[in-house]
Amino acid sequence: MWSANGQTERESTFKPSNSDYSLRKSPETPTVLGPESLENTYRIPYTAMSLSTTFYNTFFKRNSVFVGTVFAGAFAFGIGFDIGVTKFYDTWNKGKQWKDIRHKYVTEE
């Protein structure tokens, strides 16, 4: 049977009690699976949820934007990795490379 607000009679009469989904922390309550395990869960702040939702809607919701994001990220990572490895190599081998000892062997005329 349908009610005036569009819910069935069963949906409108089901109301869980507060004791079923208690979020109070009490040292006597053991950790078990089920509604009681909600006591020890980490709650994500609302701002983090809105930030993650915005991030999802911006980059991952549409496949074409997601693929573009993956390609742009791979390109940026490739350039950054190349610059980092080159800088590390130059620092590690300072004084041993041709660019460092060239002035000893070549005279400019």
Side-chain angles (χ1 to χ4, degrees), residues 25-31 39:
K25 289 189 178 195
S26 64
E28 304 88 273
T29 308
T31 303
E39 294 176 3

PDB file of all heavy atoms in Angstrom, residues 25-31 39:
ATOM      1  N   LYS A  25      31.395   6.077  22.252  1.00  0.00           N
ATOM      2  CA  LYS A  25      32.505   5.191  22.558  1.00  0.00           C
ATOM      3  C   LYS A  25      32.447   4.845  24.030  1.00  0.00           C
ATOM      4  O   LYS A  25      32.434   5.715  24.877  1.00  0.00           O
ATOM      5  CB  LYS A  25      33.831   5.857  22.241  1.00  0.00           C
ATOM      6  CG  LYS A  25      34.075   6.013  20.779  1.00  0.00           C
ATOM      7  CD  LYS A  25      35.459   6.475  20.516  1.00  0.00           C
ATOM      8  CE  LYS A  25      35.655   6.565  19.009  1.00  0.00           C
ATOM      9  NZ  LYS A  25      37.012   6.672  18.634  1.00  0.00           N
ATOM     10  N   SER A  26      32.395   3.580  24.310  1.00  0.00           N
ATOM     11  CA  SER A  26      32.421   3.145  25.698  1.00  0.00           C
ATOM     12  C   SER A  26      33.453   2.039  25.830  1.00  0.00           C
ATOM     13  O   SER A  26      33.551   1.160  24.975  1.00  0.00           O
ATOM     14  CB  SER A  26      31.042   2.653  26.142  1.00  0.00           C
ATOM     15  OG  SER A  26      30.676   1.518  25.398  1.00  0.00           O
ATOM     16  N   PRO A  27      34.273   2.068  26.872  1.00  0.00           N
ATOM     17  CA  PRO A  27      35.328   1.063  27.002  1.00  0.00           C
ATOM     18  C   PRO A  27      34.789  -0.344  27.241  1.00  0.00           C
ATOM     19  O   PRO A  27      35.474  -1.316  26.981  1.00  0.00           O
ATOM     20  CB  PRO A  27      36.137   1.546  28.200  1.00  0.00           C
ATOM     21  CG  PRO A  27      35.282   2.525  28.903  1.00  0.00           C
ATOM     22  CD  PRO A  27      34.290   3.049  27.913  1.00  0.00           C
ATOM     23  N   GLU A  28      33.549  -0.473  27.705  1.00  0.00           N
ATOM     24  CA  GLU A  28      33.000  -1.790  27.989  1.00  0.00           C
ATOM     25  C   GLU A  28      32.570  -2.523  26.713  1.00  0.00           C
ATOM     26  O   GLU A  28      32.472  -3.724  26.693  1.00  0.00           O
ATOM     27  CB  GLU A  28      31.765  -1.709  28.900  1.00  0.00           C
ATOM     28  CG  GLU A  28      31.997  -0.990  30.224  1.00  0.00           C
ATOM     29  CD  GLU A  28      31.775   0.492  30.085  1.00  0.00           C
ATOM     30  OE1 GLU A  28      32.750   1.184  29.721  1.00  0.00           O
ATOM     31  OE2 GLU A  28      30.685   0.959  30.305  1.00  0.00           O
ATOM     32  N   THR A  29      32.284  -1.779  25.657  1.00  0.00           N
ATOM     33  CA  THR A  29      31.746  -2.378  24.446  1.00  0.00           C
ATOM     34  C   THR A  29      32.866  -3.041  23.648  1.00  0.00           C
ATOM     35  O   THR A  29      33.822  -2.392  23.265  1.00  0.00           O
ATOM     36  CB  THR A  29      31.068  -1.311  23.562  1.00  0.00           C
ATOM     37  OG1 THR A  29      30.140  -0.605  24.358  1.00  0.00           O
ATOM     38  CG2 THR A  29      30.370  -1.938  22.380  1.00  0.00           C
ATOM     39  N   PRO A  30      32.785  -4.340  23.391  1.00  0.00           N
ATOM     40  CA  PRO A  30      33.816  -5.003  22.585  1.00  0.00           C
ATOM     41  C   PRO A  30      33.658  -4.623  21.114  1.00  0.00           C
ATOM     42  O   PRO A  30      32.570  -4.252  20.669  1.00  0.00           O
ATOM     43  CB  PRO A  30      33.533  -6.492  22.809  1.00  0.00           C
ATOM     44  CG  PRO A  30      32.084  -6.550  23.142  1.00  0.00           C
ATOM     45  CD  PRO A  30      31.757  -5.258  23.858  1.00  0.00           C
ATOM     46  N   THR A  31      34.745  -4.700  20.368  1.00  0.00           N
ATOM     47  CA  THR A  31      34.701  -4.409  18.946  1.00  0.00           C
ATOM     48  C   THR A  31      34.232  -5.662  18.211  1.00  0.00           C
ATOM     49  O   THR A  31      34.889  -6.693  18.252  1.00  0.00           O
ATOM     50  CB  THR A  31      36.082  -3.994  18.435  1.00  0.00           C
ATOM     51  OG1 THR A  31      36.512  -2.880  19.202  1.00  0.00           O
ATOM     52  CG2 THR A  31      36.032  -3.619  16.979  1.00  0.00           C
ATOM     53  N   GLU A  39      31.659   2.372  16.000  1.00  0.00           N
ATOM     54  CA  GLU A  39      32.235   3.146  17.082  1.00  0.00           C
ATOM     55  C   GLU A  39      33.695   3.467  16.846  1.00  0.00           C
ATOM     56  O   GLU A  39      34.181   4.505  17.256  1.00  0.00           O
ATOM     57  CB  GLU A  39      32.087   2.396  18.406  1.00  0.00           C
ATOM     58  CG  GLU A  39      30.665   2.239  18.841  1.00  0.00           C
ATOM     59  CD  GLU A  39      30.558   1.410  20.107  1.00  0.00           C
ATOM     60  OE1 GLU A  39      31.596   1.025  20.652  1.00  0.00           O
ATOM     61  OE2 GLU A  39      29.431   1.175  20.527  1.00  0.00           O
TER      62      GLU A  39
END
